[in-house]
Amino acid sequence: MLGSRARISGWGKSLPERVLTNAELEKMVETSDDWIHSRTGIRERRIAGPNETTFTLAVEAGRQALRAAGTAALDVDLIIVCTFSPEFGGMPSTASLVQHALGATRAGAFDLNAACSGFIYGLAMAQATINAGMNDTVLVIGAETMSRLLDWSDRSTCVLFGDGAGATLLQSGPESAGLLSCVLGSDGSGGELLYVPAGGSRHPASLQSVEGAQHFIRMNGKEVYKFAITAAPRAALEAVARAGLSMEDVDLFIPHQANTRIIHSAAASLGLTLERVFINVDRYGNTSAASIPIALCEAVESGRIGPGDTVLLSGFGGGLTWGAAVIQWG
Ligand code: UT7
Protein backbone atom coordinates (compact mmCIF):
# COMPACT_ATOMS: atom_id res chain seq x y z
CA MET A 1 0.00 0.00 0.00
CA LEU A 2 2.12 2.92 -1.24
CA GLY A 3 1.91 6.18 0.74
CA SER A 4 0.50 4.46 3.80
CA ARG A 5 1.82 4.90 7.33
CA ALA A 6 3.09 2.20 9.69
CA ARG A 7 0.94 2.16 12.82
CA ILE A 8 1.25 0.06 15.96
CA SER A 9 -1.79 -2.19 16.13
CA GLY A 10 -0.66 -4.69 18.79
CA TRP A 11 1.70 -4.93 21.75
CA GLY A 12 2.80 -7.56 24.22
CA LYS A 13 5.46 -8.37 26.77
CA SER A 14 6.94 -11.36 28.53
CA LEU A 15 8.97 -11.31 31.73
CA PRO A 16 10.43 -14.23 33.64
CA GLU A 17 8.70 -14.94 36.95
CA ARG A 18 11.90 -15.03 38.96
CA VAL A 19 12.54 -11.68 40.67
CA LEU A 20 16.11 -10.94 41.76
CA THR A 21 16.19 -8.16 44.36
CA ASN A 22 19.03 -5.87 45.36
CA ALA A 23 18.98 -7.57 48.77
CA GLU A 24 19.78 -10.90 47.10
CA LEU A 25 22.60 -9.29 45.10
CA GLU A 26 24.08 -8.04 48.38
CA LYS A 27 24.70 -11.71 49.20
CA MET A 28 26.34 -12.42 45.83
CA VAL A 29 28.77 -9.50 45.35
CA GLU A 30 30.17 -6.58 47.36
CA THR A 31 27.28 -4.16 46.82
CA SER A 32 24.29 -2.64 48.58
CA ASP A 33 20.69 -1.79 47.85
CA ASP A 34 21.58 1.81 48.63
CA TRP A 35 24.44 1.91 46.05
CA ILE A 36 22.38 0.24 43.33
CA HIS A 37 19.26 2.31 43.91
CA SER A 38 21.00 5.67 44.28
CA ARG A 39 23.21 5.15 41.17
CA THR A 40 20.65 3.47 38.90
CA GLY A 41 17.11 3.59 40.32
CA ILE A 42 16.92 -0.22 40.09
CA ARG A 43 15.21 -2.16 42.93
CA GLU A 44 14.81 -5.55 41.26
CA ARG A 45 15.05 -7.30 37.89
CA ARG A 46 13.69 -10.51 36.30
CA ILE A 47 15.97 -13.46 35.60
CA ALA A 48 15.20 -16.26 33.12
CA GLY A 49 14.69 -19.71 34.62
CA PRO A 50 16.30 -22.84 33.20
CA ASN A 51 13.53 -23.31 30.61
CA GLU A 52 13.33 -19.66 29.61
CA THR A 53 15.43 -18.29 26.76
CA THR A 54 15.43 -15.33 24.40
CA PHE A 55 13.30 -17.43 22.03
CA THR A 56 10.62 -18.42 24.60
CA LEU A 57 10.29 -14.83 25.85
CA ALA A 58 10.10 -13.50 22.28
CA VAL A 59 7.41 -16.00 21.25
CA GLU A 60 5.18 -15.10 24.21
CA ALA A 61 5.53 -11.34 23.61
CA GLY A 62 4.90 -11.82 19.88
CA ARG A 63 1.83 -13.98 20.52
CA GLN A 64 0.37 -11.30 22.79
CA ALA A 65 0.99 -8.58 20.19
CA LEU A 66 -0.86 -10.60 17.53
CA ARG A 67 -3.74 -11.24 19.96
CA ALA A 68 -3.98 -7.54 20.92
CA ALA A 69 -4.14 -6.60 17.23
CA GLY A 70 -6.62 -9.37 16.40
CA THR A 71 -4.28 -10.45 13.60
CA ALA A 72 -3.58 -14.04 12.56
CA ALA A 73 0.01 -15.27 12.44
CA LEU A 74 -0.62 -16.18 8.79
CA ASP A 75 -1.01 -12.49 7.96
CA VAL A 76 2.47 -11.55 9.20
CA ASP A 77 4.86 -10.65 6.36
CA LEU A 78 8.06 -10.12 8.34
CA ILE A 79 9.41 -10.83 11.82
CA ILE A 80 12.34 -8.85 13.20
CA VAL A 81 13.83 -9.94 16.53
CA CYS A 82 16.07 -7.23 17.97
CA THR A 83 18.59 -8.83 20.30
CA PHE A 84 22.24 -9.22 21.15
CA SER A 85 21.62 -12.30 23.29
CA PRO A 86 20.18 -14.56 20.55
CA GLU A 87 19.09 -18.16 21.03
CA PHE A 88 22.18 -19.45 19.19
CA GLY A 89 25.63 -17.92 18.68
CA GLY A 90 25.45 -17.66 14.90
CA MET A 91 22.49 -19.38 13.31
CA PRO A 92 19.62 -20.03 13.04
CA SER A 93 18.32 -16.59 13.87
CA THR A 94 16.01 -16.29 16.87
CA ALA A 95 13.50 -14.70 14.47
CA SER A 96 13.31 -17.86 12.33
CA LEU A 97 12.58 -19.95 15.43
CA VAL A 98 9.88 -17.44 16.47
CA GLN A 99 8.39 -17.52 12.95
CA HIS A 100 8.02 -21.29 13.18
CA ALA A 101 6.65 -21.31 16.74
CA LEU A 102 4.02 -18.68 15.90
CA GLY A 103 2.99 -20.50 12.72
CA ALA A 104 3.73 -17.37 10.67
CA THR A 105 4.41 -19.49 7.62
CA ARG A 106 4.27 -16.60 5.11
CA ALA A 107 6.73 -14.42 7.02
CA GLY A 108 10.38 -13.65 6.37
CA ALA A 109 12.48 -13.44 9.54
CA PHE A 110 15.79 -12.05 10.67
CA ASP A 111 17.60 -10.88 13.80
CA LEU A 112 18.77 -7.30 14.17
CA ASN A 113 21.61 -6.33 16.48
CA ALA A 114 21.93 -2.69 17.47
CA ALA A 115 22.35 -3.59 21.16
CA CYS A 116 20.10 -1.53 23.47
CA SER A 117 19.00 0.69 20.54
CA GLY A 118 17.82 -2.39 18.64
CA PHE A 119 14.08 -1.87 19.03
CA ILE A 120 14.21 1.65 17.51
CA TYR A 121 16.22 0.23 14.60
CA GLY A 122 13.61 -2.53 14.25
CA LEU A 123 10.78 0.01 14.15
CA ALA A 124 12.65 1.98 11.48
CA MET A 125 13.10 -1.15 9.32
CA ALA A 126 9.43 -2.08 9.73
CA GLN A 127 8.39 1.46 8.81
CA ALA A 128 10.67 1.45 5.75
CA THR A 129 9.34 -1.83 4.34
CA ILE A 130 5.71 -0.82 5.00
CA ASN A 131 6.15 2.65 3.48
CA ALA A 132 7.86 1.09 0.45
CA GLY A 133 4.79 -1.09 -0.08
CA MET A 134 6.83 -4.25 0.42
CA ASN A 135 5.01 -5.48 3.55
CA ASP A 136 1.69 -4.81 5.26
CA THR A 137 2.25 -6.50 8.63
CA VAL A 138 5.57 -6.60 10.50
CA LEU A 139 6.19 -8.01 13.97
CA VAL A 140 9.04 -6.26 15.79
CA ILE A 141 10.22 -7.96 18.97
CA GLY A 142 12.93 -6.84 21.41
CA ALA A 143 14.07 -9.84 23.46
CA GLU A 144 17.06 -10.44 25.70
CA THR A 145 18.39 -12.85 28.28
CA MET A 146 21.09 -10.56 29.61
CA SER A 147 21.60 -12.84 32.61
CA ARG A 148 23.32 -15.37 30.34
CA LEU A 149 25.90 -12.75 29.29
CA LEU A 150 26.70 -11.46 32.76
CA ASP A 151 29.71 -12.22 34.89
CA TRP A 152 27.95 -12.73 38.22
CA SER A 153 31.15 -11.90 40.08
CA ASP A 154 31.49 -8.47 38.39
CA ARG A 155 29.51 -6.01 40.52
CA SER A 156 29.98 -3.20 37.99
CA THR A 157 27.71 -4.97 35.47
CA CYS A 158 25.70 -7.77 37.12
CA VAL A 159 23.51 -5.40 39.15
CA LEU A 160 22.39 -3.41 36.10
CA PHE A 161 20.63 -5.79 33.73
CA GLY A 162 17.55 -8.00 33.51
CA ASP A 163 15.75 -10.37 31.14
CA GLY A 164 12.52 -9.90 29.18
CA ALA A 165 10.84 -9.32 25.84
CA GLY A 166 8.45 -6.77 24.35
CA ALA A 167 6.73 -6.83 20.98
CA THR A 168 4.78 -4.54 18.69
CA LEU A 169 2.85 -5.35 15.55
CA LEU A 170 3.13 -2.72 12.83
CA GLN A 171 0.57 -2.57 10.05
CA SER A 172 0.00 -0.22 7.16
CA GLY A 173 -2.82 2.20 7.78
CA PRO A 174 -4.13 5.65 6.92
CA GLU A 175 -1.85 8.71 7.14
CA SER A 176 -3.67 10.10 10.21
CA ALA A 177 -1.69 8.03 12.76
CA GLY A 178 1.42 5.92 13.11
CA LEU A 179 5.17 6.30 13.06
CA LEU A 180 5.94 9.90 12.13
CA SER A 181 9.75 9.81 12.23
CA CYS A 182 12.77 7.70 13.09
CA VAL A 183 16.37 8.79 13.67
CA LEU A 184 19.24 6.28 13.82
CA GLY A 185 22.91 6.81 14.60
CA SER A 186 26.14 5.01 15.37
CA ASP A 187 29.73 5.74 16.40
CA GLY A 188 31.82 2.60 16.16
CA SER A 189 34.84 4.35 17.65
CA GLY A 190 33.26 3.61 21.03
CA GLY A 191 32.77 -0.08 20.28
CA GLU A 192 34.87 -1.31 23.17
CA LEU A 193 33.14 0.83 25.79
CA LEU A 194 30.40 -1.80 25.98
CA TYR A 195 31.12 -5.18 24.45
CA VAL A 196 31.50 -8.94 24.73
CA PRO A 197 35.19 -9.58 23.97
CA ALA A 198 35.10 -13.20 22.73
CA GLY A 199 32.87 -15.53 20.75
CA GLY A 200 33.15 -13.68 17.44
CA SER A 201 35.62 -13.88 14.56
CA ARG A 202 38.28 -11.78 16.32
CA HIS A 203 38.42 -14.00 19.40
CA PRO A 204 36.61 -17.29 18.74
CA ALA A 205 35.70 -19.41 21.73
CA SER A 206 38.68 -21.19 23.25
CA LEU A 207 39.67 -22.64 26.59
CA GLN A 208 41.51 -19.39 27.36
CA SER A 209 38.55 -17.21 26.39
CA VAL A 210 36.28 -19.15 28.74
CA GLU A 211 38.84 -19.16 31.56
CA GLY A 212 39.32 -15.40 31.08
CA ALA A 213 35.55 -14.75 31.36
CA GLN A 214 35.71 -13.16 27.89
CA HIS A 215 32.19 -14.20 26.90
CA PHE A 216 30.57 -11.79 29.34
CA ILE A 217 29.60 -8.13 29.00
CA ARG A 218 32.36 -5.61 29.73
CA MET A 219 31.48 -1.98 30.18
CA ASN A 220 33.15 1.35 30.86
CA GLY A 221 30.16 2.70 32.79
CA LYS A 222 31.40 6.27 33.15
CA GLU A 223 32.07 6.75 29.42
CA VAL A 224 28.78 5.11 28.43
CA TYR A 225 27.02 7.42 30.89
CA LYS A 226 28.60 10.53 29.34
CA PHE A 227 27.66 9.32 25.85
CA ALA A 228 24.09 8.47 26.90
CA ILE A 229 23.22 11.84 28.42
CA THR A 230 24.09 13.64 25.17
CA ALA A 231 23.20 11.12 22.43
CA ALA A 232 19.73 10.13 23.64
CA PRO A 233 18.27 13.67 24.00
CA ARG A 234 19.95 14.83 20.77
CA ALA A 235 18.31 11.99 18.81
CA ALA A 236 14.98 12.69 20.52
CA LEU A 237 15.10 16.38 19.55
CA GLU A 238 15.91 15.47 15.95
CA ALA A 239 13.07 12.91 15.74
CA VAL A 240 10.57 15.47 17.07
CA ALA A 241 11.81 18.11 14.58
CA ARG A 242 11.64 15.61 11.68
CA ALA A 243 8.04 14.85 12.67
CA GLY A 244 7.30 18.58 12.29
CA LEU A 245 6.47 18.88 16.00
CA SER A 246 7.90 20.55 19.08
CA MET A 247 8.58 19.16 22.55
CA GLU A 248 5.31 20.70 23.84
CA ASP A 249 3.45 18.29 21.57
CA VAL A 250 4.95 15.22 23.27
CA ASP A 251 2.44 13.57 25.62
CA LEU A 252 4.72 10.74 26.79
CA PHE A 253 8.46 10.18 26.57
CA ILE A 254 9.53 6.51 26.77
CA PRO A 255 13.31 6.39 27.05
CA HIS A 256 15.50 3.28 27.09
CA GLN A 257 15.31 2.04 30.68
CA ALA A 258 18.98 1.86 31.70
CA ASN A 259 19.25 4.18 34.66
CA THR A 260 16.96 6.79 36.27
CA ARG A 261 19.81 9.32 36.46
CA ILE A 262 20.24 9.12 32.67
CA ILE A 263 16.45 9.32 32.19
CA HIS A 264 16.12 12.37 34.48
CA SER A 265 19.03 14.08 32.73
CA ALA A 266 17.53 13.43 29.27
CA ALA A 267 14.11 14.68 30.41
CA ALA A 268 15.67 17.87 31.82
CA SER A 269 17.62 18.49 28.57
CA LEU A 270 14.39 18.10 26.62
CA GLY A 271 12.42 20.35 28.99
CA LEU A 272 10.04 17.51 29.91
CA THR A 273 8.62 17.23 33.42
CA LEU A 274 8.66 13.73 34.92
CA GLU A 275 4.84 13.42 34.61
CA ARG A 276 5.48 13.08 30.87
CA VAL A 277 8.15 10.39 31.29
CA PHE A 278 7.56 6.64 31.62
CA ILE A 279 9.90 4.80 34.02
CA ASN A 280 9.90 1.11 34.97
CA VAL A 281 13.66 0.47 35.32
CA ASP A 282 13.09 0.13 39.09
CA ARG A 283 11.28 -3.19 38.47
CA TYR A 284 13.12 -4.68 35.50
CA GLY A 285 16.64 -3.21 35.36
CA ASN A 286 18.13 -2.67 31.91
CA THR A 287 16.61 -5.22 29.52
CA SER A 288 18.51 -3.79 26.53
CA ALA A 289 16.51 -4.07 23.26
CA ALA A 290 13.46 -5.23 25.23
CA SER A 291 13.27 -2.18 27.50
CA ILE A 292 11.38 0.22 25.21
CA PRO A 293 8.74 -2.27 23.92
CA ILE A 294 8.11 -3.56 27.48
CA ALA A 295 7.68 0.04 28.68
CA LEU A 296 5.47 0.91 25.66
CA CYS A 297 3.27 -2.09 26.40
CA GLU A 298 2.92 -1.15 30.08
CA ALA A 299 2.21 2.47 29.17
CA VAL A 300 -0.66 1.42 26.88
CA GLU A 301 -2.03 -1.13 29.35
CA SER A 302 -1.96 1.37 32.23
CA GLY A 303 -3.75 4.05 30.19
CA ARG A 304 -0.73 6.38 30.00
CA ILE A 305 -1.12 6.39 26.20
CA GLY A 306 -4.47 7.08 24.56
CA PRO A 307 -5.81 7.82 21.09
CA GLY A 308 -4.23 10.87 19.47
CA ASP A 309 -1.29 10.99 21.89
CA THR A 310 2.19 11.80 20.64
CA VAL A 311 4.76 9.36 22.01
CA LEU A 312 8.51 9.90 21.86
CA LEU A 313 10.90 6.93 22.14
CA SER A 314 14.67 7.16 22.48
CA GLY A 315 17.43 4.66 23.04
CA PHE A 316 21.21 4.28 23.20
CA GLY A 317 23.62 1.44 23.69
CA GLY A 318 26.54 -0.66 22.53
CA GLY A 319 28.00 -0.04 19.10
CA LEU A 320 27.84 2.73 20.10
CA THR A 321 24.35 3.23 18.72
CA TRP A 322 21.41 5.52 19.34
CA GLY A 323 17.96 6.16 17.94
CA ALA A 324 14.65 7.91 18.48
CA ALA A 325 11.14 7.69 17.06
CA VAL A 326 7.90 9.67 17.23
CA ILE A 327 4.53 7.91 17.12
CA GLN A 328 1.08 9.41 16.73
CA TRP A 329 -1.06 6.90 18.61
CA GLY A 330 -4.05 5.74 16.57
O1 UT7 B 1 22.11 0.28 27.80
C1 UT7 B 1 23.34 0.91 28.04
C2 UT7 B 1 23.95 0.26 29.23
N1 UT7 B 1 24.85 0.99 30.04
C3 UT7 B 1 24.54 2.03 30.82
O2 UT7 B 1 23.50 2.64 30.79
C4 UT7 B 1 25.59 2.41 31.83
C5 UT7 B 1 25.81 3.88 32.00
N2 UT7 B 1 26.60 4.12 33.20
C6 UT7 B 1 26.03 4.14 34.44
O3 UT7 B 1 24.84 4.03 34.57
C7 UT7 B 1 26.93 4.39 35.61
O4 UT7 B 1 28.24 4.72 35.18
C8 UT7 B 1 27.00 3.17 36.57
C9 UT7 B 1 25.67 3.00 37.29
C10 UT7 B 1 27.34 1.91 35.79
C11 UT7 B 1 28.09 3.40 37.63
O5 UT7 B 1 27.82 4.61 38.33
P1 UT7 B 1 29.01 5.64 38.56
O6 UT7 B 1 28.48 6.73 39.39
O7 UT7 B 1 29.56 6.01 37.20
O8 UT7 B 1 30.05 4.78 39.42
P2 UT7 B 1 31.56 4.44 39.10
O9 UT7 B 1 31.64 3.46 37.96
O10 UT7 B 1 32.33 5.71 38.99
O11 UT7 B 1 31.97 3.72 40.42
C12 UT7 B 1 32.01 4.42 41.64
C13 UT7 B 1 32.46 3.45 42.71
C14 UT7 B 1 33.74 2.69 42.35
O12 UT7 B 1 34.50 2.57 43.52
P3 UT7 B 1 35.79 3.53 43.78
O13 UT7 B 1 36.70 3.24 42.62
O14 UT7 B 1 35.22 4.92 43.76
O15 UT7 B 1 36.26 3.07 45.10
C15 UT7 B 1 33.23 1.34 41.93
O16 UT7 B 1 34.19 0.31 42.16
O17 UT7 B 1 31.45 2.47 42.93
C16 UT7 B 1 32.05 1.16 42.85
N3 UT7 B 1 31.05 0.23 42.35
C17 UT7 B 1 30.14 -0.36 43.15
N4 UT7 B 1 29.94 -0.30 44.47
C18 UT7 B 1 28.93 -1.01 44.98
C19 UT7 B 1 30.83 -0.18 41.08
N5 UT7 B 1 29.80 -1.03 41.04
C20 UT7 B 1 29.36 -1.16 42.31
C21 UT7 B 1 28.32 -1.90 42.89
N6 UT7 B 1 28.14 -1.79 44.23
N7 UT7 B 1 27.50 -2.69 42.19
Side-chain angles (χ1 to χ4, degrees), residues 72-94:
L74 268 179
D75 290 329
V76 177
D77 299 309
L78 179 65
I79 298 173
I80 305 174
V81 174
C82 314
T83 186
F84 81 93
S85 52
E87 193 75 0
F88 291 102
M91 58 187 172
S93 72
T94 309

Side-chain angles (χ1 to χ4, degrees), residues 77-149:
D77 299 309
L78 179 65
I79 298 173
I80 305 174
V81 174
C82 314
T83 186
F84 81 93
S85 52
E87 193 75 0
F88 291 102
M91 58 187 172
S93 72
T94 309
S96 285
L97 303 174
V98 170
Q99 172 271 319
H100 176 63
L102 292 177
T105 48
R106 287 182 46 257
F110 69 93
D111 285 0
L112 182 160
N113 179 357
C116 301
S117 313
F119 181 73
I120 306 274
Y121 274 68
L123 281 186
M125 295 307 105
Q127 179 196 37
T129 71
I130 288 172
N131 288 359
M134 190 177 159
N135 293 309
D136 269 332
T137 301
V138 182
L139 183 59
V140 181
I141 304 174
E144 307 275 16
T145 39
M146 304 296 288
S147 61
R148 308 261 154 87
L149 290 176

Side-chain angles (χ1 to χ4, degrees), residues 218-299:
R218 301 262 176 96
M219 181 173 71
N220 180 332
K222 269 211 178 330
E223 289 304 315
V224 174
Y225 188 97
K226 280 193 238 160
F227 151 71
I229 59 172
T230 52
R234 199 177 48 223
L237 276 174
E238 198 180 329
V240 169
R242 278 198 206 175
L245 300 173
S246 74
M247 230 18 104
E248 286 80 62
D249 299 312
V250 173
D251 296 294
L252 191 67
F253 174 43
I254 304 183
H256 169 45
Q257 306 286 315
N259 179 320
T260 44
R261 286 192 296 152
I262 295 174
I263 294 173
H264 289 174
S265 165
S269 308
L270 296 172
L272 292 170
T273 55
L274 289 180
E275 296 84 68
R276 286 197 282 162
V277 182
F278 191 87
I279 299 179
N280 65 5
V281 68
D282 51 322
R283 288 177 289 128
Y284 303 134
N286 179 348
T287 58
S288 182
S291 92
I292 293 174
I294 292 171
L296 182 65
C297 182
E298 289 197 335

